[in-house]
């Protein structure tokens, strides 16, 4: 069975290479769109924040945040103080900052495998800058970005509290602190590699979608940044909240290596992403229904999207739920394909 899977994969990859070669103009146009997006959105908003967050985590300044929020993390989430900086700066920096910082703490021995696994159930966010500035700007309203960010954070908090939190949190111990110059160099190296990896995936996905031309509702599921900013019309806010919580398969692939190193099963991560996305959709839909006047003030396009997108996206959401259930079932049954 494995040989059949390998053969199918080889055929698919060969076909993709052939399409990129034959349909070179469309592929290049998609790649150029991805490069422009990385240059104008991803790198300016993510790289500086990730560098500083990583630098803070490697310095004694992290102790201030651990002192302020450590007790709250232990009592509410049953996580050690060393989980504070990955979660807080993961929320601020956005994906993949949370995963990168969590792995850094795990690699330094400040988080156990079980703790890293639990953190990655919910430490996945579009980030403050991306959601408020970029997405809010797309809707011509910073308030809309703030609303979406709050909803996404609430969904992740619910996910964090919904799963079992048994077991004692590991005893806090200080990682070896680096001199500021060494810490800065280390942070620059880790952050730049992460951003380069992220940009490479975005360019690849944009190149492939430039050829395949997926339906509008499917684009954010594949690649969140291009899926939102290259759409012909602004999607309803609940759907945007859904896609921002899910993050897109492109981002999932970016952190797949880190998840594997932390021995976090992708099936569990995917299930949590789908559940968080559904929660975000429900919370945002409830808000829009309860405060319709507030939504109309927040965004000049809250109700101006054709119903066709909503119907198509609903089908996509149902399909994602089915896929997540299937992946989880295969993982739990140890089925070998």
């Amino acid at each position: 069975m494995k040989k059949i899977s390998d053969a199918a994969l080889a055929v698919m990859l060969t076909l993709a290479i052939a399409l990129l070669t034959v349909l070179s103009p469309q592929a290049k146009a998609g790649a150029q769109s991805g490069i422009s997006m990385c240059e104008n959105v991803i790198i300016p908003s993510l790289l500086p924040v990730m560098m500083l967050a990583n630098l803070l985590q490697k310095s004694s300044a992290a102790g201030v945040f651990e002192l302020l929020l450590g007790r709250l993390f232990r009592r509410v989430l049953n996580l050690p103080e060393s989980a504070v900086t990955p979660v807080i700066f993961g929320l601020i920096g956005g994906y993949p900052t949370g995963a990168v910082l969590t792995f850094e703490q795990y690699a330094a021995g400040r988080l156990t495998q079980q703790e890293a696994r639990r953190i990655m159930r919910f430490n996945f966010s579009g980030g403050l800058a991306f959601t408020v500035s970029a997405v809010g700007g797309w809707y011509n309203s910073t308030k809309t970005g703030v609303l979406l960010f709050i909803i996404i954070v609430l969904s992740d908090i619910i996910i964090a509290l919904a799963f079992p939190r048994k077991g004692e949190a590991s005893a806090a111990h200080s990682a070896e602190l680096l001199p500021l110059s060494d810490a800065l160099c280390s942070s620059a190296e880790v952050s730049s590699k992460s951003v380069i990896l992220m940009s490479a995936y975005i360019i690849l996905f944009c190149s492939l979608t430039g050829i395949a031309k997926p339906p509008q509702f499917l684009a954010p599921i594949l690649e969140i940044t291009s899926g939102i900013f290259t759409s012909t019309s602004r999607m309803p806010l609940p759907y945007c909240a859904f896609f921002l919580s899910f993050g897109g398969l492109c981002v999932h692939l970016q952190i797949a290596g880190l998840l594997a190193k932390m021995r976090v099963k992708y099936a569990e991560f995917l299930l949590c992403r789908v559940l968080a996305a559904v929660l975000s959709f429900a919370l945002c839909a409830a808000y829009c229904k309860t405060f319709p006047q507030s939504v109309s003030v927040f965004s000049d396009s809250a109700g101006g999207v054709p119903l066709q997108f909503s119907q198509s996206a609903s089908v996509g959401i149902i399909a994602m739920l089915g896929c997540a259930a299937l992946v989880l079932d295969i993982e739990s049954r140890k089925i070998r394909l």
Side-chain angles (χ1 to χ4, degrees):
M1 201 68 177
K2 186 177 185 300
K3 291 183 179 179
I4 297 176
S5 300
D6 291 342
L9 178 61
V11 171
M12 290 174 59
L13 292 176
T14 302
L15 180 60
I17 294 172
L19 287 174
L20 289 174
T21 304
V22 174
L23 301 176
S24 180
Q26 296 91 322
K28 286 181 179 178
Q32 287 173 350
S33 173
I35 293 172
S36 176
M37 200 173 307
C38 293
E39 181 182 0
N40 297 319
V41 178
I42 300 300
I43 296 176
S45 63
L46 183 58
L47 182 58
V49 174
M50 187 180 292
M51 282 183 61
L52 292 177
N54 214 306
L55 176 61
L56 186 149
Q57 186 167 267
K58 295 176 183 294
S59 70
S60 57
V64 176
F65 291 90
E66 294 177 2
L67 181 63
L68 292 175
L69 300 173
R71 184 174 298 181
L72 177 66
F73 269 60
R74 281 190 174 273
R75 289 187 176 181
V76 178
L77 300 176
N78 195 27
L79 288 171
E81 290 82 354
S82 52
V84 172
T85 49
V87 173
I88 297 301
F89 287 97
L91 290 175
I92 295 174
Y95 25 70
T97 307
V100 172
L101 296 179
T102 301
F103 174 73
E104 288 289 306
Q105 292 290 69
Y106 171 75
R110 301 201 69 203
L111 290 173
T112 66
Q113 185 273 329
Q114 185 64 25
E115 290 163 352
R117 175 189 174 192
R118 287 173 49 210
I119 291 172
M120 288 312 303
R121 290 172 180 168
F122 64 90
N123 192 19
F124 188 83
S125 166
L128 188 63
F130 177 75
T131 306
V132 175
S133 300
V135 179
W138 177 244
Y139 283 94
N140 297 322
S141 170
T142 301
K143 292 181 179 180
T144 299
V146 173
L147 171 65
L148 290 170
F149 180 74
I150 292 174
I151 287 172
I152 292 168
V153 172
L154 285 176
S155 299
D156 284 330
I157 291 174
I158 294 173
I159 292 294
L161 297 176
F163 281 83
R165 302 180 299 281
K166 297 179 181 179
E168 287 292 325
S170 62
H173 67 276
S174 299
E176 182 180 354
L177 300 179
L178 300 174
L180 183 61
S181 58
D182 293 344
L184 182 59
C185 291
S186 175
S187 301
E189 180 181 0
V190 171
S191 302
S192 59
K193 285 182 178 178
S194 299
V195 171
I196 290 172
L197 178 65
M198 185 177 188
S199 300
Y201 275 112
I202 290 175
I203 294 168
L204 174 62
F205 269 68
C206 288
S207 182
L208 293 175
T209 54
I211 295 174
K213 304 292 183 186
Q216 184 180 346
F217 78 89
L218 188 59
I221 298 176
L222 297 174
E223 206 292 298
I224 182 66
T225 309
S226 62
I228 290 178
F229 295 121
T230 61
S231 60
T232 56
S233 59
R234 295 179 180 89
M235 66 185 72
L237 294 183
Y239 290 96
C240 186
F242 177 93
F243 293 129
L244 286 171
S245 275
F246 181 72
L249 295 176
C250 180
V251 181
H252 291 197
L253 288 174
Q254 294 165 27
I255 67 172
L258 298 180
L259 293 177
K261 290 178 180 178
M262 292 184 285
R263 291 180 289 170
V264 177
K265 294 181 179 180
Y266 177 71
E268 182 179 352
F269 174 80
L270 176 63
L271 176 64
C272 291
R273 283 304 91 218
V274 174
L275 291 177
V278 171
L279 280 171
S280 293
F281 179 91
L283 290 172
C284 192
Y287 182 91
C288 293
K289 187 174 182 179
T290 306
F291 304 102
Q293 293 182 347
S294 175
V295 173
S296 64
V297 171
F298 278 9
S299 174
D300 63 359
S301 59
V305 181
L307 182 62
Q308 182 181 3
F309 176 87
S310 301
Q311 293 171 336
S312 300
S314 298
V315 174
I317 290 173
I318 294 173
M320 284 176 58
L321 287 170
C323 290
L326 178 61
V327 171
L328 187 66
D329 182 65
I330 291 174
E331 187 77 23
S332 63
R333 291 173 183 267
K334 304 295 183 181
I335 297 177
R336 297 185 64 183
L337 298 179

